[in-house]
Amino acid sequence: MVATNVKSETMALMDKRSALEAEMNAIIDRLCQPGGPGLSGNLVDSEGFPRSDIDIPVVRAERHRLSELRNDHKVTTEKIDQNIQILHSSRLASRSSPPKESVQGNPEGSNNQNSLVVSDVPSASSHNVVLRDSSSDMDVDVMASIPFAMVDEIADASPAAEDGLQLGDQIIKFGNVEAGESLLQRLASEAQTNQGCAIPVVIMRQGAPINLTVTPRTWQGRGLLGCHFRIL
């Protein structure tokens, strides 16, 4: 059936996205290690000569690979979104169809129809998607928690670092901010509005969801968090 095929494809896409994220995080860790060039640091010294403390060809290759992975991640995430919409539509269609009488005279599908369940913290083994089958293959519930931003810079001793955020963490939820439009502006507004107050944050780290609280506050560095988010 259509829903079954889409469900299988979605699970495969989730596995693919997890593999992409793992490779991206590994590259980011290597590039951003102490003394490293970072994701966009100069490869030449102050006099314009190639830096002798790094392997420039390797750095260029890893940055190029990271760019490819980001593009693949975006395409894969978009396809996952499309499939989730198809599964939602299939579920709505199955609910709106006239009930059939079973042998016992009860309407089929009347026994504990699963409702759409949304949770801040999905099971790590579900690869961010939970698909449940009821008595009908078309009765599919989907829960999707898709990261919308990544921590690509974080300062030592900053509020973000002290509260547990790490380089490469992917943001699923930041206070009231989830996927949508104008994310950078909304993230900044959420931090400013909640200065001095703990903000619940859900992140994805190495394929596993984690709950944190981050408190925006003044410190010796710039901003209220001391980190930078890159929208995925």
Side-chain angles (χ1 to χ4, degrees):
M1 302 178 79
V2 173
T4 302
N5 293 337
V6 173
K7 180 177 70 173
S8 298
E9 181 186 42
T10 303
M11 296 302 292
L13 288 168
M14 284 292 180
D15 287 338
K16 177 182 178 181
R17 188 174 67 176
S18 293
L20 291 171
E21 290 170 353
E23 187 175 354
M24 289 167 65
N25 288 337
I27 292 175
I28 290 172
D29 287 343
R30 288 194 295 270
L31 291 176
C32 297
Q33 61 185 339
L39 302 182
S40 58
N42 288 332
L43 302 183
V44 296
D45 58 25
S46 59
E47 297 179 354
F49 293 101
R51 288 176 56 178
S52 59
D53 60 326
I54 57 175
D55 190 331
I56 292 178
V58 170
V59 172
R60 285 175 173 165
E62 292 215 306
R63 286 179 175 177
H64 178 71
R65 177 59 180 159
L66 183 59
S67 178
E68 292 179 338
L69 291 169
R70 285 171 171 170
N71 290 335
D72 288 347
H73 186 277
K74 180 180 179 181
V75 171
T76 302
T77 297
E78 289 174 350
K79 181 60 178 174
I80 290 170
D81 288 343
Q82 293 171 7
N83 284 3
I84 288 172
Q85 291 302 317
I86 292 172
L87 289 167
H88 280 314
S89 298
S90 296
R91 178 173 176 77
L92 291 174
S94 67
R95 281 186 168 185
S96 62
S97 60
K100 297 179 182 179
E101 293 296 319
S102 65
V103 176
Q104 292 80 11
N106 294 323
E108 288 185 359
S110 62
N111 295 329
N112 297 327
Q113 286 273 4
N114 287 329
S115 61
L116 179 63
V117 179
V118 180
S119 171
D120 288 346
V121 187
S123 168
S125 62
S126 68
H127 300 289
N128 306 337
V129 169
V130 173
L131 303 173
R132 299 176 184 166
D133 293 333
S134 67
S135 58
S136 169
D137 286 337
M138 292 296 289
D139 188 13
V140 181
D141 285 333
V142 180
M143 177 184 71
S145 295
I146 300 174
F148 62 85
M150 176 186 287
V151 179
D152 63 357
E153 292 181 22
I154 188 165
D156 292 337
S158 64
E162 290 184 347
D163 290 349
L165 279 180
Q166 296 181 11
L167 192 67
D169 283 347
Q170 296 180 331
I171 309 300
I172 295 173
K173 188 173 183 180
F174 186 88
N176 294 317
V177 181
E178 298 182 77
E181 301 295 328
S182 305
L183 287 169
L184 287 177
Q185 293 90 330
R186 289 164 59 197
L187 286 168
S189 176
E190 189 77 3
Q192 292 169 359
T193 301
N194 291 280
Q195 183 173 351
C197 300
I199 298 176
V201 180
V202 184
I203 65 168
M204 186 67 64
R205 180 182 295 165
Q206 297 180 349
I210 298 175
N211 271 334
L212 296 173
T213 57
V214 177
T215 303
R217 54 191 184 271
T218 57
W219 61 296
Q220 62 182 3
R222 296 177 57 187
L224 296 175
L225 293 174
C227 69
H228 181 266
F229 297 115
R230 178 177 62 80
I231 303 303
L232 299 174

